[in-house]
Amino acid sequence: MGSSVKKKRDKKKDFEKPKLKVGKARPKASNFTDTSFKSKAITLNKSSLNISAPTSQNQFTHHVSLLSSRSDTQRKESLAYLASTVSSQPTTSPPPLPTSVLLPSLLPLFLDGSNGVRAQLLKLLRTLPAHDIEDHGEKLSLYIRAAMTHLAADIRSSAMDILSWALFVAGPALVAAAGGWVKTLKCFLAMLGWPNDADHAATSSSSAAAWSTNRASFGGAGSESKTLVKSLSVLGVFLQAGLADDEEEAEGDAWPFPLVHTRFHMRSGRSNAFAHLNLFGAVRDEEGEMYEGFEERRKLFARRFSVAFERGLDGARSEGGEVGRAAAGAQKVLGECMRGYGDADG
């Protein structure tokens, strides 16, 4: 009898509500664990503590890796560090990293959406050795054309600054690169809104109608007008680099008579002297071909782009103001470079 009564009492005890007194704490459970203690510790995940500080070479490489960061501020600060490091190097010593290693990380930033990043990028580019840029004309031209035809007006304006720098340090290599002449001229026509009737094989009557309907407006004020002036100025420099007779300047430093055309018999100073033969690359069309001689570029320009640029520059010059002066400068360069070309062909 006693055991059965005890079992009933225990079962009933599970359903009884304990009576709590005011001010008295609730009793703790039998399996209660005290978690009121605090521990202090330093946890370093995937890090190492070294007594020696990182070298300048390691810091430079680290900042190059940060150029692909998602933060605009981080990319800008890394570019500023790289520019200050390269500019502080003696002129006779190379950068901490070769230009061939540095450029693949810099070229995608041509299309960066941050104005501060692109401005800092241009400062870094101006600190790089000019003789190291000539071997990368094709890749440089590819990203410049992508920026020239970008939807954002700020990126197109920055592309003109970068193209102006590239023409200053490696103009002949840029216009002679694969696609660097024809495709860049087409990008200029697209930026300025000038139709090219030669590519569409249109008749004279339809060409005049197309010119009157597709002609770009030059009378804009503010940033649009400044971008147009900058584009026309860079266009004149580009035409000078591609159409000017560079043989006269080269022969000026040659040896005297009876040695003539000595530069054609000397060893090339470029790393890939036979790139124009395209021995191991894909088949190129007329637009992607390399035009190393100014005569080839003149012939192609006269056949495909001469009419479009002459009409466009005439229309821009008639607007007057800064736009008219910039167009007149580009028109003067075009006239001097193409002077006597038609007479010589005839």
Side-chain angles (χ1 to χ4, degrees):
M1 290 293 292
S3 62
S4 62
V5 173
K6 184 179 179 182
K7 290 180 180 180
K8 290 181 181 180
R9 193 185 311 118
D10 293 339
K11 291 182 179 180
K12 188 177 181 181
K13 187 178 180 180
D14 294 337
F15 298 97
E16 288 180 356
K17 185 176 181 180
K19 295 182 180 180
L20 302 176
K21 294 183 180 180
V22 179
K24 187 176 181 180
R26 181 180 238 175
K28 298 179 180 180
S30 60
N31 60 348
F32 172 76
T33 302
D34 187 12
T35 59
S36 60
F37 63 90
K38 295 182 179 180
S39 63
K40 296 182 179 180
I42 299 176
T43 304
L44 299 177
N45 294 329
K46 298 181 180 180
S47 300
S48 61
L49 297 177
N50 295 326
I51 299 177
S52 60
T55 62
S56 58
Q57 177 77 21
N58 294 336
Q59 290 182 351
F60 193 89
T61 306
H62 174 65
H63 280 280
V64 171
S65 65
L66 292 178
L67 295 179
S68 59
S69 174
R70 296 183 179 180
S71 173
D72 298 347
T73 305
Q74 181 63 69
R75 296 196 300 272
K76 182 179 178 181
E77 292 177 353
S78 297
L79 288 171
Y81 175 83
L82 297 177
S84 62
T85 303
V86 175
S87 60
S88 61
Q89 295 282 336
T91 55
T92 56
S93 62
L97 283 180
T99 306
S100 58
V101 179
L102 192 59
L103 273 183
S105 299
L106 299 179
L107 294 179
L109 297 180
F110 289 4
L111 309 175
D112 197 284
S114 173
N115 294 334
V117 172
R118 296 193 308 274
Q120 195 64 49
L121 171 65
L122 185 60
K123 294 180 181 179
L124 173 58
L125 292 175
R126 289 171 176 168
T127 61
L128 298 178
H131 57 84
D132 292 341
I133 305 298
E134 297 179 355
D135 295 334
H136 307 279
E138 184 176 355
K139 292 182 179 179
L140 196 64
S141 176
L142 178 64
Y143 280 91
I144 289 177
R145 295 196 305 268
M148 290 175 63
T149 56
H150 200 275
L151 295 177
D154 293 339
I155 296 180
R156 295 198 300 269
S157 178
S158 299
M160 293 293 97
D161 296 329
I162 297 174
L163 179 58
S164 177
W165 160 80
L167 291 172
F168 178 75
V169 297
L174 193 68
V175 296
W181 179 241
V182 178
K183 291 184 179 180
T184 307
L185 288 174
K186 295 184 68 175
C187 289
F188 269 111
L189 291 176
M191 280 187 62
L192 300 171
W194 298 345
N196 191 5
D197 301 334
D199 285 347
H200 301 287
T203 60
S204 59
S205 59
S206 61
S207 298
W211 181 257
S212 61
T213 55
N214 296 336
R215 178 175 174 274
S217 176
F218 298 103
S223 60
E224 182 181 355
S225 178
K226 292 181 180 179
T227 303
L228 182 58
V229 172
K230 185 189 302 182
S231 302
L232 292 172
S233 301
V234 177
L235 173 62
V237 179
F238 183 77
L239 294 176
Q240 176 73 26
L243 299 176
D245 188 353
D246 54 354
E247 289 189 358
E248 296 179 358
E249 300 178 0
E251 288 298 333
D253 299 332
W255 298 329
F257 181 82
L259 300 177
V260 294
H261 301 296
T262 53
R263 68 187 185 95
F264 294 108
H265 304 284
M266 301 298 291
R267 185 169 56 183
S268 176
R270 293 181 301 172
S271 61
N272 191 2
F274 300 99
H276 62 283
L277 299 178
N278 194 27
L279 298 176
F280 307 103
V283 179
R284 298 170 180 162
D285 55 0
E286 187 180 44
E287 295 184 356
E289 191 59 63
M290 296 180 64
Y291 299 96
E292 294 187 324
F294 75 98
E295 294 180 352
E296 294 178 308
R297 294 192 291 266
R298 280 184 180 180
K299 182 178 180 180
L300 187 62
F301 182 85
R303 179 168 55 87
R304 292 188 54 178
F305 300 101
S306 178
V307 176
F309 277 98
E310 288 176 358
R311 289 182 178 179
L313 291 174
D314 286 338
R317 187 175 182 178
S318 63
E319 296 292 333
E322 294 183 0
V323 175
R325 287 192 292 271
Q331 200 172 34
K332 179 180 178 181
V333 171
L334 181 59
E336 292 177 353
C337 293
M338 299 297 290
R339 180 181 302 152
Y341 175 77
D343 299 337
D345 289 349

